[in-house]
Amino acid sequence: MWDVVVEGAREGSVGHPDLSDYAQGQALELTTDMLQGVTASGEPELDPEVVMTDLDASPSTVSIEDCIDSSDWLVYEDGETTGVGERRRAASAEVVLVEEQWLVDDLWLEDYGSC
């Protein structure tokens, strides 16, 4: 999912047609909104970690946490760089199994400096 967000931001897209292949619900809305009116260069450094799995739930779920380092991912909105200063932020996601495909369903991004 993050690869598609990064690609869309590089292109200055207002969305990306492939996002729905990786996200749904709140996560799809958030990532689509993230692409509105921005361009970017570079890419964030990700190191996701599975913190919980519930494969017996319906749907099966996996919870993931990360500390995203945006030091090399410069995002511009209206010509100004966003998130200047501290470039690390906590992120958590819930991924669900939908028709044999894992989709990010919920995504939460904390303030910069939160990890």
Side-chain angles (χ1 to χ4, degrees), residues 22-85:
Y22 303 99
Q24 68 174 10
Q26 179 270 350
L28 180 59
E29 290 177 27
L30 177 62
T31 53
T32 299
D33 288 347
M34 287 171 60
L35 293 174
Q36 300 294 316
V38 302
T39 57
S41 62
E43 60 187 72
E45 184 178 323
L46 307 170
D47 189 23
E49 179 180 326
V50 173
V51 293
M52 188 201 73
T53 60
D54 190 351
L55 302 180
D56 295 325
S58 182
S60 295
T61 61
V62 174
S63 297
I64 299 171
E65 292 182 356
D66 199 348
C67 181
I68 299 172
D69 184 346
S70 300
S71 299
D72 294 327
W73 191 38
L74 301 177
V75 179
Y76 302 91
E77 187 170 8
D78 298 326
E80 299 290 323
T81 304
T82 61
V84 175

Side-chain angles (χ1 to χ4, degrees), residues 2 14 18 20 31 41 43 67 70 74 80 91-92 95 99 105 108 110-111 115:
W2 279 111
V14 294
D18 295 340
S20 61
T31 53
S41 62
E43 60 187 72
C67 181
S70 300
L74 301 177
E80 299 290 323
S92 57
V95 183
E99 298 177 12
D105 190 49
W108 298 275
E110 302 297 331
D111 292 334
C115 62

